[in-house]
């Protein structure tokens, strides 16, 4: 096969993946993506993550890791946790699930009603949409990524977690990240983004660009529950997912 033919086959394969991803996310408008691609390159975490944001992320205190070098050890340390008020109404602690050495980590806000029932993160309708994004869009099995939340117990009436609850529980999230060592993190929605990046900036403003937590590139995007309410935002999530895939690809090449 000559080079030109090979390139053509690769372009067609890329285009097909692009269209399948849009279909998976329910995006109806097809973009050329040319200008976005240019912005993507200049927006890469290595080149331009805003120093201010990096500083803010670094200022988040990292817990001592001596006893928590593996996910199992973190789970053991968490135990039958009663460290914050959320323990009182939960059915199950939802620690997280996925590959212990996942290259991609998704962080949501907290367990919903289905998650609490099953003891598993991002279930229900919103979780189903996330699975579609991962499996149909990114072509990765859900079991190959890791999914967890900022707080591990369901806030009553699906309210947002209170700052004290987040402050108490986030130590375990940080230990999970240190154990997994993901290449890329995706924060889903405002609560996860604010807590991990130590910012009050809204996800609408932060999404689409790279941020950094402990040297790891972080892409904030909309929570799948928001996409169920505002389907038109799927287009932005699709753009964010494209950047995440490009970054994973780049990281894979660097590691090879
Ligand atoms: S939310 Fe976190 S800190 Fe609070 S009880 Fe549950 S596991 Fe413990």
């Amino acid at each position: 096969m000559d080079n030109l033919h090979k390139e053509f086959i690769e372009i067609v394969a890329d285009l097909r993946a692009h269209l399948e991803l849009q279909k998976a996310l329910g995006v109806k408008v097809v973009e050329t993506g040319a200008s976005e691609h240019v912005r993507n390159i200049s927006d890469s975490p290595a080149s331009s993550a805003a120093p201010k944001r990096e500083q803010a992320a670094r200022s988040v205190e990292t817990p001592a890791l001596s006893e928590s070098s593996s996910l199992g050890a973190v789970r053991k340390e968490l135990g039958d946790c009663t460290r914050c008020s959320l323990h009182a109404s939960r059915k199950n602690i939802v620690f997280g699930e996925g590959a212990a050495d996942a290259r991609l980590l998704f962080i949501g806000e907290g367990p919903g009603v289905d998650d609490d029932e099953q003891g598993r993160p991002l279930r229900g309708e919103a979780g189903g949409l996330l699975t579609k994004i991962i499996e149909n869009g990114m072509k990765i099995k859900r079991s190959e990524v890791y999914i967890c939340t900022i707080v591990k117990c369901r806030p009553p009436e699906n309210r947002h977690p209170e700052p004290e609850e987040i402050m108490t529980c986030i130590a375990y999230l940080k230990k999970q990240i240190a154990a997994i060592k993901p290449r890329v993190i995706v924060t889903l929605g405002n609560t996860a983004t604010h807590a991990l990046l130590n910012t009050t900036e809204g996800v609408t403003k932060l999404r689409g660009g790279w941020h950094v937590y402990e040297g790891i590139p972080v892409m904030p995007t909309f929570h799948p529950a928001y996409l169920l309410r505002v389907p038109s935002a799927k287009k932005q999530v699709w753009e964010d997912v494209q950047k995440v895939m490009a970054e994973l690809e780049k990281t894979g090449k660097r590691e090879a």
Side-chain angles (χ1 to χ4, degrees):
M1 192 186 300
D2 61 33
N3 282 348
L4 197 63
H5 190 200
K6 236 166 115 184
E7 268 176 36
F8 177 73
I9 301 278
E10 280 168 12
I11 289 167
V12 170
D14 283 352
L15 186 62
R16 181 174 297 145
H18 173 108
L19 291 171
E20 281 173 2
L21 177 57
Q22 289 193 95
K23 197 172 145 204
L25 298 182
V27 176
K28 294 201 174 75
V29 179
V30 179
E31 288 188 351
T32 62
S35 59
E36 193 55 44
H37 182 61
V38 171
R39 191 159 79 84
N40 187 7
I41 292 167
S42 65
D43 245 5
S44 75
S47 63
S48 70
K52 245 180 162 178
R53 291 183 197 130
E54 188 168 354
Q55 207 178 7
R58 281 187 182 143
S59 74
V60 180
E61 207 180 299
T62 305
L65 298 174
S66 55
E67 294 295 315
S68 299
S69 56
S70 77
L71 269 182
V74 183
R75 180 65 191 91
K76 201 168 160 194
E77 187 186 338
L78 186 65
D80 191 19
C81 185
T82 56
R83 292 173 181 86
C84 85
S85 60
L86 290 180
H87 81 276
S89 53
R90 73 166 180 238
K91 286 188 180 158
N92 286 295
I93 289 180
V94 182
F95 181 68
E97 68 178 13
D101 59 351
R103 298 178 72 233
L104 178 57
L105 171 64
F106 288 91
I107 303 175
E109 176 177 308
V113 64
D114 296 299
D115 314 358
D116 185 39
E117 283 287 341
Q118 298 173 33
R120 299 177 62 191
L122 273 292
R123 309 304 294 174
E125 210 183 338
L129 182 54
L130 180 65
T131 304
K132 274 189 192 167
I133 291 169
I134 295 168
E135 299 204 334
N136 301 353
M138 305 181 91
K139 305 292 180 202
I140 305 173
K141 286 189 186 140
R142 182 173 156 131
S143 59
E144 288 172 1
V145 306
Y146 198 87
I147 301 172
C148 60
T149 45
I150 294 287
V151 294
K152 315 293 186 205
C153 301
R154 183 188 174 220
E157 314 298 326
N158 278 347
R159 67 163 168 78
H160 296 298
E162 298 291 347
E164 316 84 76
E165 294 158 354
I166 292 173
M167 268 169 56
T168 310
C169 206
I170 202 168
Y172 295 93
L173 172 71
K174 290 177 184 175
K175 291 183 182 188
Q176 284 176 298
I177 296 172
I180 297 165
K181 300 183 181 65
R183 302 299 182 276
V184 178
I185 297 173
V186 176
T187 51
L188 301 167
N190 270 327
T191 305
T193 304
H194 291 169
L196 190 73
L197 296 180
N198 199 21
T199 177
T200 53
E201 207 69 85
V203 72
T204 306
K205 194 157 182 197
L206 295 179
R207 62 146 292 278
W210 287 105
H211 307 267
V212 181
Y213 167 79
E214 295 286 327
I216 304 168
V218 177
M219 176 61 74
T221 196
F222 295 121
H223 195 284
Y226 177 75
L227 296 184
L228 294 174
R229 295 193 304 274
V230 186
S232 59
K234 287 176 183 171
K235 183 173 165 293
Q236 278 86 45
V237 170
W238 176 77
E239 291 168 2
D240 301 340
V241 163
Q242 287 280 89
K243 291 178 183 179
V244 168
M245 289 195 296
E247 181 59 24
L248 283 172
E249 170 99 352
K250 246 178 17 192
T251 315
K253 279 184 186 152
R254 277 203 296 270
E255 286 169 355

